[in-house]
Amino acid sequence: MARFVALLRSILFTPIFYIGSLFFVVAALLASPFSREMLKRLARSWGQFHRICCHILLGQKIRIIGNMPDGPYLYCFKHESAFETIEQLVLFHRPAVIAKKELFDIPLWGKVAEMQGMIPVEREAGAKAMRALMTSARAALAAGRPICLFPEGTRVPHGTSAPLQAGFAGLYKILNVPVIPVAIDSGRLSPRRSFIKKAGIITYKVGETIPPGLPREEAEARVLAAINALNDE
């Protein structure tokens, strides 16, 4: 019975969220030539719309353990579902989310993401991609924006972990800012490659802030442990 209810909720969620998302994307494109502030507000409103849809239609609630200050930090998030990629827009005022370049090729949405200030990264472009990433990241930090990174590089099933991608070490060393690791268990309710999303509580658990300047191995170990803190819960 519970699975049947979850299926009905998911069927309802899909058209409402994606059709509603199209409205926000088109509105942002229309507003962008006239008001950058309006673009930022629409992006945040889209994130809030997503959270409302998850809460009302799917029965998913949010719990945050710890504090996530909005400022020039490097945030490292666990990545279990699409949920937390959109949530960044609600958690922070104007986050600089690092995402794979393929996402920017999505019609309409990709253009809005670029204008909003997301940072594309080409995984196969090597040093050239890293230089472009560093330039964008430094500019975002100078503007007081948090950098949001999914250091495992892809979504992983809840309860499992993946090695950190090399990009984290480069960002940590060159940006020289505190790192705030955040665990999330969204994959329990919205599993990767599953249409059915379940009701329940999605938890963020903020780890201890990692200061700049640590040896690479220590920084990576502390990030990996912190973002996987909810794996056994």
Side-chain angles (χ1 to χ4, degrees), residues 48-65:
Q48 292 170 332
F49 171 68
H50 173 256
R51 181 179 279 194
I52 290 170
C53 287
C54 289
H55 178 62
I56 295 178
L57 301 177
L58 298 177
Q60 295 178 348
K61 299 179 181 180
I62 309 298
R63 175 175 60 179
I64 300 177
I65 302 174

Side-chain angles (χ1 to χ4, degrees), residues 27-230:
L29 285 172
L30 294 175
S32 60
F34 307 102
S35 173
R36 184 53 62 96
E37 184 60 34
M38 180 59 70
L39 173 63
K40 291 188 288 186
R41 290 181 181 178
L42 284 167
R44 184 172 177 83
S45 295
W46 178 56
Q48 292 170 332
F49 171 68
H50 173 256
R51 181 179 279 194
I52 290 170
C53 287
C54 289
H55 178 62
I56 295 178
L57 301 177
L58 298 177
Q60 295 178 348
K61 299 179 181 180
I62 309 298
R63 175 175 60 179
I64 300 177
I65 302 174
N67 182 41
M68 285 187 268
D70 198 342
Y73 301 94
L74 173 58
Y75 276 90
C76 290
F77 281 86
K78 182 70 177 178
H79 194 12
E80 295 189 351
S81 75
F83 176 86
E84 54 269 13
T85 60
I86 304 173
E87 269 282 298
Q88 312 294 315
L89 296 168
V90 183
L91 296 173
F92 307 107
H93 175 63
R94 189 174 174 236
V97 182
I98 297 174
K100 57 185 180 181
K101 191 177 184 301
E102 293 86 353
L103 294 176
F104 291 78
D105 297 330
I106 298 174
L108 302 180
W109 186 91
K111 184 63 176 177
V112 173
E114 180 182 350
M115 293 186 296
Q116 194 274 336
M118 289 182 65
I119 301 176
V121 58
E122 296 183 69
R123 296 178 180 176
E124 307 301 325
K128 178 182 177 182
M130 182 56 71
R131 287 194 296 270
L133 173 59
M134 291 301 174
T135 298
S136 298
R138 285 189 178 116
L141 290 172
R145 300 168 61 197
I147 305 294
C148 297
L149 174 70
F150 300 105
E152 291 171 306
T154 187
R155 289 175 289 175
V156 297
H158 179 70
T160 65
S161 64
L164 301 189
Q165 297 295 302
F168 164 73
L171 285 168
Y172 176 73
K173 179 179 180 180
I174 296 174
L175 296 181
N176 196 41
V177 294
V179 175
I180 302 179
V182 183
I184 183 171
D185 60 356
S186 60
R188 291 188 308 105
L189 306 184
S190 300
R192 182 182 182 185
R193 298 193 180 99
S194 175
F195 174 78
I196 299 178
K197 299 173 176 60
K198 296 177 287 187
I201 297 175
I202 294 176
T203 300
Y204 290 97
K205 186 173 183 179
V206 185
E208 182 180 350
T209 300
I210 300 168
L214 296 178
R216 173 177 176 171
E217 293 78 9
E218 181 179 352
E220 288 184 336
R222 291 176 64 170
V223 167
L224 193 60
I227 66 174
N228 287 292
L230 296 173

